[in-house]
Amino acid sequence: MSYDQQPPAGGQQQPPFGGQPQQPYGGQPQQPYGAQPQQPLRPDEEKTWSLLAHLGGIILGFIAPLVVWLVFKGRGPFLDDQAKEALNFQITVVIASVAATILGVVTLGILSFLPFVVWAVNIVFAILAAVAVNKGQWYRYPVTLRLVK
């Protein structure tokens, strides 16, 4: 067998004329090297990551729940729901902060306290959510835009 007749690395044949790659014996596609199927999280792990999604929003804004949701998506219904809930709330907080800042500027400082109020409400509701999640309860923020479904 000459060099140009050997199959490419990885053991899969190239599809003829742009067709679909052929499956190995058994009909199952091969996983890329290092790829592992995602294991569901244990309930205590779901609670911990949900807690971090809610509390992380206080410090990192929408980045913390976004990362938790993207990394652990599909690994548990409780975590999926709570990470999306925290993400939606933090996006709402960003929108409210921008609106409060604009109102403070437009009113020449009369409403300049509004960003502080938004910040305080963020802390209070994130802590309430963290306490509920730590008890294993599903939490819903009261005034939240449900942008991520």
Side-chain angles (χ1 to χ4, degrees), residues 10 12 29-37:
Q12 290 189 355
Q30 293 178 341
Q31 293 280 338
Y33 179 74
Q36 299 293 324

Side-chain angles (χ1 to χ4, degrees), residues 99-114:
T101 303
I102 290 171
L103 281 172
V105 170
V106 168
T107 61
L108 302 174
I110 295 173
L111 297 178
S112 60
F113 65 91
L114 284 180

